[in-house]
Structures are given as C-alpha cells and as structure tokens.
Amino acid sequence: MEKRLTSSNNRPREDSWLKSLFVRKVDPRKDAHSNLLAKKETSSLYKLQFHNVKPECLEAYNKICQEVLPKIHEDKHYPCTLVGTWNTWYGEQDQAVHLWRYEGGYPALTEVMNKLRENQEFVEFRKARSNMLLSRKNQLLLEFSFWNEPIPRSGPNIYELRSYQLRPGTMIEWGNYWARAIRFRQDGNEAVGGFFSQIGQLYMVHHLWAYKDLQSREDIRNAAWHKHGWEELVYYTVPLIQEMESRIMIPLKTSPLQ
C-alpha cells in the first residue's frame, strides 16, 4: 500500500517534468519580426519571380525580357529597379528568375502595377510571355538588416540562390545567428543579398551569392569551415530548416548583376 501511495503522489510531478520537455518557451515580442530584422534606413520592397518556361521557348522568352524589362528599369516614372535577371543553370531547368526592388515599399509596388496596366508595350509583352510559360510564382521580400544591399556588379559571375523553408516561428532565431554568420562569408565579396518573405510562401529565406565559377564557389565554401565559429553557427541553424534548395544561375546580358 505504501508503495502505491508514493507512486501516486509522484505522478503529477513526473507528468509536469515530461511536459516540460516538449514545451518550447517563447520570449514575448512587442514588434513584428519584419520590423526587428529588416533594414531601418530603407523602405525598399523586393519581388522575386520564378518563371518555368517551355523548353522550346526559352530563347524567345529571354529575347523579349531583354527588350522590355530594361525599359521599365530605366524609366524614371517607375519607382522600381531591376536588381537581376537569370536563367537557372543547375536546379530546375528552363527556369527564369527575376529580382525587382521597389523604392518606397508597398505604395511603390502598387504605383508600378497600375502604370504597367496602362503600358501597351508591357501588356503585349505579358500576352506573348504567357504563351511561353508552364508555371510562375512570386514572393514579396524584405532585406535582412545585416546583409549588403544588392548593387550592380561586373562579371562574369555565376550566382547561387540558396532558398530555405524555415520552421514557423524561427525567423528571429535565424536572423540572430546569421547576423554573426555573415561575417565569415565576406572575404571574397561573394555575399550579394539576403531576404525573407512577407507575401507568398512564408518563412522563406533567400541568400544570393556571386562566384567566378563553380570551383571558386567550392573553395570559398570549404574555407568557411576552417574559421572558428562557423561550425557552431551551422550546427544551430540547421534544426531551424524544413527544406532547402540551391540554384546556380547565369545572368542575362541585360542583368545589372553580371
């Protein structure tokens, strides 16, 4: 009898201890993670577009993009900038990737979209483009405060877009770790930009890197493992990831990022 009473008295304590193993304590936040992680000195919004093109149409698709997109980029009446435009080399095949910056955030995006509806050349471009596509998707992004802002660069370069689907609720942790990790990847000026999604697929992070070639990419990435602290940061960020993808991309001739 005494043995049963002792076991019964301990059960609530044991249950409480077991539950504590599976409860994640979250610090209260007084602001959205977009305000905590994004650049304060700029209100730029980014749009990342993925277009999967019919294989037989890729050349024609690239041709009309190179004819029309730079005109929008160069027109002072449009508060947007074409950051880069590429074809995926390794990853999804026959894919085009475009990155746009909207100076002034959501109002600038709305202004550009409204003006493009009245731009007859762009309307015709979209009609021609739609016949060449298998699928398309986009995301609206903000910049991480600790990354360089992507600016035009000369080439030739290849670009790697590393995309991470994070576990919901882990964006602040990711930002805290990468604010330290980015210093390990600045030696060769390979860090182009870092972004996180606001609309579209959520809890997505994109890191954009530039390399001279695939061997340079391999050498630079291997060198990071010899730096004290890099291994620890990788160890803590990997559990935050649900999925990850790497694209190696080649810039089109009219891309500001060459």
Side-chain angles (χ1 to χ4, degrees):
M1 178 67 69
E2 182 180 350
K3 188 174 183 179
R4 285 200 298 271
L5 285 173
T6 301
S7 176
S8 176
N9 289 337
N10 285 343
R11 189 176 303 280
R13 183 179 297 176
E14 291 174 358
D15 290 346
S16 175
W17 179 80
L18 286 169
K19 288 178 181 178
S20 71
L21 294 177
F22 301 99
V23 174
R24 180 178 176 181
K25 295 180 180 179
V26 179
D27 293 333
R29 302 288 179 187
K30 295 183 179 180
D31 209 346
H33 70 247
S34 59
N35 292 331
L36 295 170
L37 294 172
K39 282 185 168 68
K40 296 295 189 297
E41 67 274 13
T42 177
S43 57
S44 291
L45 180 72
Y46 289 79
K47 179 169 68 175
L48 184 61
Q49 299 174 297
F50 299 99
H51 291 173
N52 290 320
V53 185
K54 297 175 182 176
E56 68 274 15
C57 297
L58 186 60
E59 185 176 347
Y61 172 92
N62 288 339
K63 184 174 185 295
I64 63 171
C65 284
Q66 291 181 116
E67 290 173 353
V68 176
L69 298 187
K71 295 179 182 178
I72 301 168
H73 166 83
E74 294 163 1
D75 193 325
K76 295 181 180 178
H77 294 95
Y78 290 87
C80 65
T81 303
L82 181 63
V83 177
T85 177
W86 304 267
N87 285 155
T88 300
W89 184 22
Y90 288 102
E92 288 197 53
Q93 296 296 282
D94 306 304
Q95 185 181 69
V97 181
H98 309 290
L99 181 63
W100 290 87
R101 180 193 298 116
Y102 297 87
E103 295 88 357
Y106 292 106
L109 173 68
T110 301
E111 180 183 346
V112 171
M113 294 301 101
N114 289 337
K115 286 182 176 179
L116 288 178
R117 292 191 186 99
E118 306 300 322
N119 183 325
Q120 192 57 40
E121 183 179 18
F122 187 79
V123 171
E124 294 300 322
F125 161 75
R126 287 200 63 172
K127 288 180 181 177
R129 187 187 68 182
S130 65
N131 294 324
M132 303 177 184
L133 298 181
L134 294 170
S135 65
R136 60 194 179 104
K137 69 175 182 178
N138 58 29
Q139 295 174 353
L140 294 181
L141 315 168
L142 294 177
E143 294 175 273
F144 282 112
S145 61
F146 46 85
W147 274 76
N148 302 329
E149 182 172 348
I151 58 175
R153 66 171 65 197
S154 58
N157 295 292
I158 62 171
Y159 289 82
E160 181 176 19
L161 182 66
R162 294 181 71 85
S163 302
Y164 303 88
Q165 177 69 62
L166 301 187
R167 290 168 43 220
T170 62
M171 188 66 73
I172 294 293
E173 286 182 78
W174 180 272
N176 287 338
Y177 286 124
W178 264 96
R180 288 178 283 159
I182 189 64
R183 71 177 187 268
F184 293 105
R185 298 295 309 276
Q186 298 283 21
D187 293 349
N189 194 33
E190 70 268 20
V192 178
F195 314 91
F196 59 99
S197 62
Q198 288 290 282
I199 295 179
Q201 193 169 352
L202 298 179
Y203 285 98
M204 284 292 299
V205 169
H206 301 282
H207 293 173
L208 184 61
W209 309 91
Y211 303 101
K212 289 302 179 185
D213 50 40
L214 287 174
Q215 186 58 54
S216 296
R217 170 188 176 273
E218 182 73 3
D219 294 341
I220 290 171
R221 287 176 55 81
N222 286 340
W225 289 96
H226 298 290
K227 297 177 181 179
H228 179 70
W230 173 255
E231 182 178 359
E232 180 183 3
L233 291 167
V234 172
Y235 175 83
Y236 284 115
T237 53
V238 165
L240 309 180
I241 302 169
Q242 285 187 331
E243 295 181 12
M244 58 189 298
E245 182 177 5
S246 170
R247 291 176 175 85
I248 301 296
M249 308 183 302
I250 304 297
L252 299 187
K253 293 180 180 178
T254 52
S255 176
L257 287 171
Q258 282 295 307

